[in-house]
């Protein structure tokens, strides 16, 4: 952390997977809970079903979230949770953005 | 210029949305109103069932109204600890009040014995105020005041008014106000969060 702040913005890496506004929202909400289902993220982010699915896939490919699908009362039910990697990526993104914008 | 995601606000919004449905209000209102009604009838032994009724309504409401609209979360370990601590605190508070009242009656302490229902109202109000703090729901602080005023006020009124059961009426009115407020909150919640159209 101290090193990052001294190095300056040139050395900072902004994770583009996290940086996308919709995905940033998803990660922010997942970071304050243990896990959340698809409907919760739909209601919180205001994204469409298709949009949320697409961003969910990107985050899962990056290893930032884990997705658990099951059938509940004969309906598909999807739970999402941040992985340790995802939590770390989110925290790093926030630190880097603070450093970057702190220099402007 | 600074950049900071307000994580405290995000967390507050997440957990607040689960108290926006008014079900806690309705459960408290029904329990208090029903208890007041039962005071005018016998047997008062059914009071224990009223608590179950309130919990049942809350649970069914969450499953059929809230979760289909805003989804479901598993609270973070931090929030789970807060909920557990609250439950333990309320249990201890209730036990202390109960034992205190029993002991004061045995010792012939007129002050506590005569105002035991007011003390009960204070304990209930403290519990609801704690719930308000935990859920970040400011309206629950108002319910705490209503509960205290209806219990304590009703007990004082009952000492002067003998033509009808003033205490029971006071409790019914207090519970009714909370119940009514809960219904309004629920209707507003259902309008704000319609059931999402999920694609197959």
């Amino acid at each position: 952390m101290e090193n990052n702040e001294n190095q300056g913005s040139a050395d900072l890496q902004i994770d583009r997977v996290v940086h996308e506004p919709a995905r940033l929202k998803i990660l922010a909400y997942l970071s304050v809970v243990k896990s959340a289902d698809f409907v919760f993220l739909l209601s919180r982010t205001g994204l469409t079903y298709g949009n949320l699915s697409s961003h969910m896939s990107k985050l899962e490919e990056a290893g930032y979230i884990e997705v658990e699908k099951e059938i509940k009362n004969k309906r598909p039910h999807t739970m999402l949770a941040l992985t340790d990697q995802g939590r770390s990526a989110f925290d790093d993104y926030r630190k880097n953005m603070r450093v970057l914008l702190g220099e402007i | 210029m600074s950049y900071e995601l307000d994580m405290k606000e995000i967390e507050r919004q997440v957990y607040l949305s689960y108290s926006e449905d008014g079900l806690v209000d309705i459960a408290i209102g029904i329990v208090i109103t029903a208890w007041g009604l039962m005071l005018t009838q016998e047997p008062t032994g059914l009071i224990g069932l009223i608590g179950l009724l309130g919990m049942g309504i809350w649970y069914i409401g969450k499953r059929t109204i809230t979760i289909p609209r805003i989804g479901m979360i598993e609270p973070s370990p931090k929030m789970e600890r807060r909920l557990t601590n609250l439950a333990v605190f309320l249990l201890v508070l209730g036990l202390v009040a109960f034992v205190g009242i029993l002991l004061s009656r045995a010792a012939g302490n007129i002050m506590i014995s005569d105002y035991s229902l007011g003390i009960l109202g204070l304990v209930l109000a403290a519990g609801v105020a704690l719930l308000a703090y935990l859920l970040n729901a400011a309206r629950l602080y108002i319910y705490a005041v209503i509960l205290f005023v209806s219990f304590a006020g009703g007990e004082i009124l009952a000492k002067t008014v003998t033509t009808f059961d003033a205490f029971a009426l006071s409790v019914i009115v207090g519970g009714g106000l909370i119940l009514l407020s809960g219904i309004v909150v629920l209707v507003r919640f259902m309008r704000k969060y319609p059931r999402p159209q999920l694609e197959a």
Side-chain angles (χ1 to χ4, degrees), chain B residues 115-139:
Chain B
Y115 294 98
S116 56
L117 291 170
I119 293 170
L120 178 63
L122 190 62
V123 169
L124 285 172
V128 171
L130 261 174
L131 204 55
Y133 169 72
L134 181 72
L135 298 176
N136 280 307
R139 69 184 187 279

Side-chain angles (χ1 to χ4, degrees), chain A residues 1-84:
Chain A
M1 173 85 172
E2 217 175 284
N3 280 339
N4 270 346
E5 288 178 351
N6 290 336
Q7 281 169 356
S9 58
D11 301 303
L12 289 175
Q13 298 216 347
I14 301 300
D15 187 333
R16 287 182 178 276
V17 174
V18 178
H19 188 58
E20 207 289 327
R23 291 195 287 270
L24 182 59
K25 263 191 195 176
I26 294 167
L27 291 173
Y29 283 116
L30 287 179
S31 72
V32 297
V33 297
K34 193 172 167 185
S35 65
D37 71 0
F38 193 87
V39 173
F40 172 81
L41 288 172
L42 210 58
S43 74
R44 287 283 110 195
T45 60
L47 296 170
T48 62
Y49 180 96
N51 239 335
L52 180 57
S53 278
S54 162
H55 289 300
M56 198 175 89
S57 298
K58 288 202 171 67
L59 287 170
E60 196 182 8
E61 271 166 35
Y64 292 170
I65 63 170
E66 52 193 17
V67 179
E68 201 180 290
K69 294 185 181 182
E70 56 182 353
I71 302 291
K72 250 187 182 176
N73 300 323
K74 297 178 187 175
R75 284 180 171 199
H77 183 243
T78 306
M79 288 295 285
L80 296 86
L82 271 191
T83 59
D84 290 340

Side-chain angles (χ1 to χ4, degrees), chain B residues 45-57:
Chain B
L46 291 173
I47 283 172
L49 289 177
I50 297 173
L52 287 175
L53 173 69
M55 280 171 61
I57 287 167

Side-chain angles (χ1 to χ4, degrees), chain A residues 24 28-29 31-37 39-40 42-44 49 72 77 90 93-94 97-98 101-102, chain B residues 1 3-5 7 10-11 13-15 17-18 67-76 193 196 198-199:
Chain A
L24 182 59
Y29 283 116
S31 72
V32 297
V33 297
K34 193 172 167 185
S35 65
D37 71 0
V39 173
F40 172 81
L42 210 58
S43 74
R44 287 283 110 195
Y49 180 96
K72 250 187 182 176
H77 183 243
F90 180 63
Y93 172 83
R94 287 176 64 205
M97 286 302 285
R98 266 201 300 271
L101 294 171
Chain B
M1 188 174 164
Y3 172 84
E4 182 65 51
L5 273 174
M7 296 309 298
I10 288 171
E11 188 179 39
Q13 288 292 335
V14 166
Y15 292 106
S17 64
Y18 283 92
I67 289 174
R69 282 176 163 75
I70 63 170
M72 143 181 157
I73 60 164
E74 271 188 87
S76 62
Y193 298 106
L198 297 174
E199 294 164 38

Side-chain angles (χ1 to χ4, degrees), chain B residues 15-49:
Chain B
Y15 292 106
L16 179 64
S17 64
Y18 283 92
S19 69
E20 278 186 292
D21 56 14
L23 290 173
V24 159
D25 319 39
I26 289 169
I28 293 171
I30 283 177
V31 168
I32 300 297
T33 308
W35 191 60
L37 285 168
M38 287 194 71
L39 287 172
T40 64
Q41 311 290 329
E42 290 289 339
T44 53
L46 291 173
I47 283 172
L49 289 177

